[in-house]
Amino acid sequence: MSSTTSSIVAQRLLLPSLLSLLLLIVTVISDDASTMPTQNMSHKERAELREESREMFYHAYRAYMENAYPADELMPLSCKGRYRGVTASRGDMDDILGNFSMTLVDTLDTLVLLGDFAEFEHAVKLVIRDVQFDSDIIVSVFETNIRMVGGLLSAHILAEYLQKQADVMHWYKGEMLEMARELGYRLLPAFNTTTGIPHARVNLRLGMKDPQLKKSRETCTACAGTILLEFAALSRLTGDPIFEVRAHAAMDALWKLRHRGSDLMGTVLNVHSGDWVRRDSGVGAGIDSYYEYLFKSYVLLGDDKYLARFNRHYNAVMKYVSEGPMLLDVLMHRPHAKSRNFMDSLLAFWPGLQVLSGDLKPAVQTHEMLYQVMQMHTLIPEAWTVDFQIHWGQHHLRPEFIESTYFLYRATGDHHYLQVGKRALKTLQKYAKVSCGYAAVNDVRTGKHEDRMDSFVLSETFKYLFLLFSDPQDLIINVDEFVFTTEAHLLPLSIAQLGNSTFSFRQSDEHNVLDFMRTCPSSNKLFPEKVRKPLRNFITGSCPRTISGKRLSALDFQASNADHLRAVYDMGITMVSVGDRSQGKVRLFHSFYNAKSQEEGEMGLQFMQEMLELTKMQSMNQLAQLQVRKSNDKNCPKNFIVAVAYAVDEQSQDWTALMAGPSHFSPELIGEQFVEGEIVLANPLRACDEKLENASDISGKILVAERGDCTFVSKARLAQKVGATALIVCDNVSGSSGETQPMFAMSGDGKDDVAIPVVFMYSLEFTKLSAAMLRRPQLRARIMQMVEFKRWQLAKEAHQNETAAAAAAAALAAGTMPKKKPDKEL
């Protein structure tokens, strides 16, 4: 071993003292604290909670083994196993399944931590006997790696550990390591890309030769960047370097794709071209474990470049994404622009990673915010808005919040985190436990269960709960000598000593000394309670309540705020939906008779007058903004924002418009020009084949095609060839919206041969359009400039108001005005 390598190994062996050092610092500081706000948990209560977490694990484990094994997952409500190709398909969600007993493999090392050597040995024998990988099944490369490869490697390492330390399992001869190697080879074809970044999916038997994978292009940053720990361990344990080489190459390719100005990464990219498909940048879904594996690759392997890369990204995240305790996605190329107004539950891992990297204060802050979200909604929802309302209501029993709670407790010794863990445990017992395991919650608002228990519930959620309530002396192994993978599998730090003869730790010229440095947090105010205290009412303080005696103004009014709705109702104002409810249009009526008091009625009248003025101002501002945006963007066509407009229903004169973007290669709609026609979907939807199956039905109509598999201009030429009058290209990225993402103009190939208008529509806008098409199969739409649509609408409303006013005056003159009519209507 070289002196450089020896030095690196020595550094790695010092790392287990990190958490102990942090604990020592905080313990010294806490002696100076005037108060200890969190009640200390007794040894007895902690032991009881440890045993309760053990019982929770076995309740779920036995339910799986008795009712589901050898299936990949347990369906806790049906009390049976979920098999790929047998159980009803859930679409892309089923890519995690490979009919390889995933839950058992994922759970093996938890049995060792619990000290259940007999059941571990029995389970290992079952895996060796029953699990095989030669299946014609397409699986997720990311999920198969972290759950299966990681599970097999961890179990192999612990089996050999028990042979030496507990004098058991002498029959074991490395069978699980060979299984991990076989599975690794079956994943390798996914890495045969132009960039070296792996495909998202692969066929276990056919590799990338499966016809369904022929057009595979896109993957997420986390999917491609969460391979190295398992593949490096596999190479070093087997002596086969190919796995580690491919994983390092993928990480290097990802690093080169960062935005050089912001040092941020996007979330979805093309594995062949390296182009970003989604440029949202945050720390949640789609990108989370990429950051985790940068730091842990440095810890496990001793390669300083991963520490440098982590620090560059970390500084960028804290500069652009971090908003106090919140973490809000931005655009990697425009980091001061927020890309969405909600946070997802996967970001709950971030405080734990901050603890490991030594940045405690923001870890405490973000964890406190997450804890308040849990207290507000009982369970942490899958996503919540910036004002902490529910965005997606599911709760899948995810481990990330408990994981961060565990690491914060290990680093601080603050019993607050034991109390947080206790609350999380009791909540799972009350709301997720069923007779056959633990069931995910479909909506935290209703508590309705979902027939789903992911393997990570056993491999991570219950593991971290057990570790939280355990003292080091309670455990058979010293966890400080291991790195936890993103699936909480254990890989020993001693792997660094094995080395990889084909991989060289060369210092890259792209890093400088500043990339290896970060200021340690000030220790004089490190005690967590001092950090948490200012945030104690962070969430409740962000949800405004109407104060008695203070009038609610139209400018402050939020239709999603229950208190605001109650306040306007007390003012005598009622709201009636107009047209399609999905469009969110309402009409306001005010009457003194319905007001709670005369004073409230007068407030209501003032509110209506303000709303009238506000509506006029918004209409004029929209026109002005559209004109400014159109004229100032030199790189885009003049009609930068396009409207796809249609009547709300067949009888109504009300029209609605959805936002769309133009193209550089199609003619512009200038002034009052528009294209109108019936809308028809392409078959196949992506419109990349030479011939469309419904070509005869398209002539004279507006064609809709989905983004992907071929270029925008190719779709346009095909649409033009079959006689379409215009083309709408809808996005293939779920959840994208023109309201939260910048509109862009589609580019062509330099040829000027497209003669029909072509526009681009994000997926949320297209969802509304497709819903209208379902209600009215022969829906007609008009494509025009958005600014012209707004002018047209304002002119119509002005004409309608004039007509209504004239009719009202005539009725008043004739003495036929109805006596019971709202005093004011908007």
Side-chain angles (χ1 to χ4, degrees):
M1 187 183 298
S2 68
S3 60
T4 302
T5 305
S6 299
S7 174
I8 292 169
V9 172
Q11 292 175 40
R12 299 290 68 70
L13 295 178
L14 288 173
L15 280 168
S17 63
L18 171 63
L19 289 175
S20 301
L21 178 60
L22 287 171
L23 178 57
L24 176 63
I25 292 172
V26 175
T27 302
V28 172
I29 297 161
S30 66
D31 291 338
D32 297 328
S34 59
T35 59
M36 179 69 76
T38 302
Q39 182 180 359
N40 278 356
M41 184 177 287
S42 67
H43 290 295
K44 178 182 177 183
E45 183 179 11
R46 192 176 174 193
E48 290 172 349
L49 290 168
R50 182 180 69 244
E51 292 311 304
E52 186 171 359
S53 65
R54 186 196 303 271
E55 291 167 6
M56 293 170 72
F57 169 84
Y58 280 112
H59 177 69
Y61 177 75
R62 293 187 182 113
Y64 166 76
M65 294 301 294
E66 293 169 7
N67 302 286
Y69 181 81
D72 282 325
E73 290 180 348
L74 168 69
M75 299 167 64
L77 303 184
S78 305
C79 208
K80 61 183 182 181
R82 187 185 301 281
Y83 292 90
R84 185 78 174 269
V86 177
T87 312
S89 174
R90 300 175 297 174
D92 291 345
M93 280 180 59
D94 283 345
D95 287 346
I96 62 174
L97 310 176
N99 289 343
F100 37 36
S101 304
M102 180 176 63
T103 293
L104 183 58
V105 173
D106 213 6
T107 303
L108 291 172
D109 55 8
T110 308
L111 291 167
V112 177
L113 280 174
L114 293 173
D116 194 345
F117 304 155
E119 183 59 28
F120 174 70
E121 182 172 5
H122 172 65
V124 168
K125 289 179 178 179
L126 288 178
V127 169
I128 294 171
R129 184 192 73 187
D130 297 337
V131 175
Q132 60 86 31
F133 305 120
D134 186 24
S135 303
D136 185 7
I137 294 177
I138 295 174
V139 298
S140 162
V141 174
F142 163 73
E143 297 287 1
T144 303
N145 174 63
I146 65 171
R147 302 195 197 202
M148 294 297 298
V149 176
L152 289 167
L153 289 173
S154 181
H156 162 74
I157 290 163
L158 293 176
E160 291 196 333
Y161 179 88
L162 292 181
Q163 285 180 331
K164 297 175 183 178
Q165 301 296 325
D167 198 28
V168 296
M169 294 184 69
H170 294 293
W171 58 268
Y172 178 73
K173 305 299 180 185
E175 291 88 345
M176 285 186 294
L177 179 58
E178 288 306 309
M179 293 175 72
R181 189 211 300 254
E182 178 194 346
L183 185 53
Y185 273 118
R186 292 180 184 274
L187 298 181
L188 280 181
F191 290 78
N192 296 330
T193 63
T194 309
T195 60
I197 296 171
H199 288 278
R201 302 183 301 160
V202 69
N203 187 298
L204 288 175
R205 179 180 294 168
L206 305 176
M208 297 305 298
K209 295 179 181 179
D210 189 308
Q212 297 180 59
L213 298 175
K214 185 177 292 185
K215 297 178 180 179
S216 172
R217 295 287 184 277
E218 297 173 1
T219 193
C220 71
T221 305
C223 302
T226 314
I227 304 289
L228 183 53
L229 292 187
E230 292 83 1
F231 268 36
L234 183 56
S235 281
R236 299 188 183 209
L237 290 170
T238 63
D240 192 341
I242 186 63
F243 305 107
E244 185 171 354
V245 168
R246 291 297 184 90
H248 280 298
M251 293 294 269
D252 290 343
L254 286 172
W255 172 248
K256 291 175 183 176
L257 296 179
R258 74 194 184 283
H259 191 274
R260 300 304 174 99
S262 67
D263 278 330
L264 293 173
M265 303 286 285
T267 52
V268 179
L269 57 100
N270 185 303
V271 298
H272 290 302
S273 67
D275 293 336
W276 287 106
V277 178
R278 288 197 63 171
R279 299 190 176 196
D280 307 62
S281 189
V283 298
I287 196 171
D288 48 357
S289 50
Y290 164 71
Y291 296 130
E292 179 184 1
Y293 269 40
L294 281 175
F295 184 77
K296 291 183 177 179
S297 293
Y298 161 69
V299 174
L300 184 66
L301 306 178
D303 189 349
D304 288 341
K305 76 179 181 184
Y306 290 116
L307 176 62
R309 291 176 184 180
F310 171 79
N311 284 339
R312 288 271 286 276
H313 286 317
Y314 184 82
N315 290 335
V317 167
M318 298 307 289
K319 180 178 181 180
Y320 299 116
V321 177
S322 177
E323 292 279 350
M326 299 191 295
L327 296 157
L328 302 174
D329 281 18
V330 300
L331 297 171
M332 61 180 286
H333 59 299
R334 292 169 54 200
H336 294 291
K338 301 301 180 188
S339 64
R340 65 184 194 182
N341 64 347
F342 64 90
M343 294 166 274
D344 65 72
S345 62
L346 287 172
L347 65 78
F349 90 101
W350 187 250
L353 183 59
Q354 289 179 308
V355 169
L356 294 176
S357 68
D359 203 1
L360 273 176
K361 183 176 179 180
V364 171
Q365 291 174 327
T366 296
H367 183 275
E368 177 63 19
M369 179 270 292
L370 291 165
Y371 184 41
Q372 290 187 33
V373 170
M374 187 182 85
Q375 292 173 299
M376 182 178 188
H377 299 296
T378 306
L379 294 160
I380 294 181
E382 190 70 356
W384 58 94
T385 60
V386 292
D387 59 350
F388 305 102
Q389 304 306 303
I390 292 172
H391 185 73
W392 297 324
Q394 306 93 327
H395 178 80
H396 296 148
L397 316 184
R398 293 195 186 278
E400 286 78 12
F401 176 68
I402 299 171
E403 173 188 356
S404 288
T405 304
Y406 164 69
F407 283 116
L408 273 164
Y409 176 70
R410 288 296 312 279
T412 66
D414 186 350
H415 280 226
H416 167 78
Y417 297 108
L418 295 178
Q419 300 293 348
V420 172
K422 175 183 176 181
R423 179 158 185 158
L425 182 151
K426 297 298 183 181
T427 301
L428 289 175
Q429 290 283 65
K430 183 175 181 179
Y431 295 100
K433 187 176 183 179
V434 294
S435 60
C436 193
Y438 287 81
V441 177
N442 186 258
D443 193 323
V444 299
R445 289 162 292 201
T446 64
K448 182 182 178 182
H449 285 129
E450 186 177 345
D451 202 4
R452 169 179 179 178
M453 188 181 83
D454 291 86
S455 66
F456 57 65
V457 177
L458 286 164
S459 71
E460 298 185 79
T461 306
F462 294 147
K463 179 183 291 176
Y464 281 122
L465 273 176
F466 180 79
L467 289 173
L468 175 63
F469 298 117
S470 300
D471 286 319
Q473 60 268 25
D474 298 328
L475 304 174
I476 187 64
I477 62 175
N478 181 2
V479 294
D480 288 342
E481 295 177 355
F482 293 80
V483 170
F484 285 96
T485 70
T486 195
E487 192 73 6
H489 294 309
L490 291 91
L491 298 177
L493 291 169
S494 58
I495 278 179
Q497 300 175 51
L498 300 178
N500 183 347
S501 59
T502 66
F503 189 77
S504 172
F505 294 121
R506 293 192 302 270
Q507 180 59 53
S508 172
D509 294 335
E510 67 189 9
H511 300 298
N512 58 57
V513 67
L514 295 178
D515 293 332
F516 299 93
M517 300 172 62
R518 219 179 46 241
T519 304
C520 290
S522 172
S523 60
N524 64 339
K525 292 185 179 179
L526 198 57
F527 188 62
E529 174 57 22
K530 291 189 176 182
V531 179
R532 289 194 303 268
K533 189 173 181 180
L535 300 171
R536 189 153 292 159
N537 298 314
F538 180 74
I539 287 183
T540 54
S542 69
C543 301
R545 297 288 183 264
T546 303
I547 302 171
S548 178
K550 182 179 179 181
R551 187 181 66 80
L552 175 67
S553 71
L555 187 62
D556 295 331
F557 175 70
Q558 296 178 4
S560 60
N561 187 309
D563 290 321
H564 289 188
L565 293 176
R566 198 176 301 113
V568 296
Y569 180 79
D570 290 344
M571 295 178 195
I573 299 170
T574 55
M575 291 192 295
V576 178
S577 296
V578 178
D580 185 356
R581 284 181 178 271
S582 67
Q583 302 299 323
K585 290 185 177 181
V586 295
R587 179 166 292 166
L588 304 182
F589 297 92
H590 175 255
S591 174
F592 273 105
Y593 295 107
N594 294 330
K596 193 173 182 180
S597 65
Q598 181 177 349
E599 183 183 6
E600 296 275 14
E602 292 172 354
M603 287 182 180
L605 182 61
Q606 191 173 352
F607 180 92
M608 293 291 283
Q609 291 170 339
E610 289 178 351
M611 189 63 78
L612 279 168
E613 292 301 317
L614 191 60
T615 303
K616 292 177 184 176
M617 289 173 59
Q618 287 175 339
S619 297
M620 297 308 296
N621 285 340
Q622 284 174 351
L623 284 176
Q625 289 169 4
L626 288 169
Q627 289 170 325
V628 169
R629 190 175 183 184
K630 180 179 71 173
S631 60
N632 287 350
D633 201 310
K634 299 178 181 179
N635 299 317
C636 296
K638 291 181 180 178
N639 53 325
F640 185 59
I641 303 179
V642 182
V644 178
Y646 55 90
V648 173
D649 55 58
E650 293 179 358
Q651 291 77 32
S652 175
Q653 295 298 313
D654 292 331
W655 282 59
T656 188
L658 301 172
M659 188 186 302
S663 67
H664 283 293
F665 55 81
S666 67
E668 298 179 17
L669 295 170
I670 301 171
E672 297 181 359
Q673 292 179 344
F674 63 87
V675 173
E676 184 172 344
E678 183 182 331
I679 299 180
V680 60
L681 295 177
N683 185 14
L685 186 57
R686 294 210 166 175
C688 290
D689 299 340
E690 292 184 3
K691 185 177 180 180
L692 295 177
E693 295 180 14
N694 61 336
S696 60
D697 299 329
I698 295 172
S699 181
K701 299 177 182 177
I702 298 173
L703 183 67
V704 175
E706 187 183 47
R707 179 183 189 177
D709 294 345
C710 62
T711 62
F712 294 124
V713 72
S714 297
K715 299 176 192 291
R717 289 184 181 123
L718 182 57
Q720 182 172 280
K721 181 180 176 181
V722 295
T725 58
L727 173 66
I728 301 172
V729 180
C730 61
D731 199 5
N732 59 354
V733 179
S734 177
S736 63
S737 171
E739 296 296 331
T740 58
Q741 293 172 266
M743 195 58 69
F744 68 93
M746 295 176 286
S747 59
D749 54 10
K751 298 179 182 179
D752 189 19
D753 58 352
V754 176
I756 61 173
V758 182
V759 300
F760 177 83
M761 182 178 287
Y762 282 112
S763 63
L764 288 184
E765 283 76 15
F766 178 68
T767 298
K768 296 177 182 178
L769 180 63
S770 59
M773 293 170 66
L774 284 174
R775 293 193 303 270
R776 297 160 58 192
Q778 295 182 326
L779 179 71
R780 293 181 66 83
R782 179 178 292 188
I783 300 177
M784 59 195 303
Q785 290 189 40
M786 181 65 82
V787 66
E788 295 301 328
F789 174 79
K790 294 291 186 183
R791 283 200 182 102
W792 179 47
Q793 288 293 91
L794 286 174
K796 280 177 57 181
E797 290 174 6
H799 178 70
Q800 289 172 355
N801 290 338
E802 289 172 3
T803 304
L812 185 63
T816 58
M817 179 69 78
K819 292 182 179 180
K820 291 186 177 180
K821 186 179 189 302
D823 299 307
K824 187 169 279 290
E825 175 183 324
L826 177 59

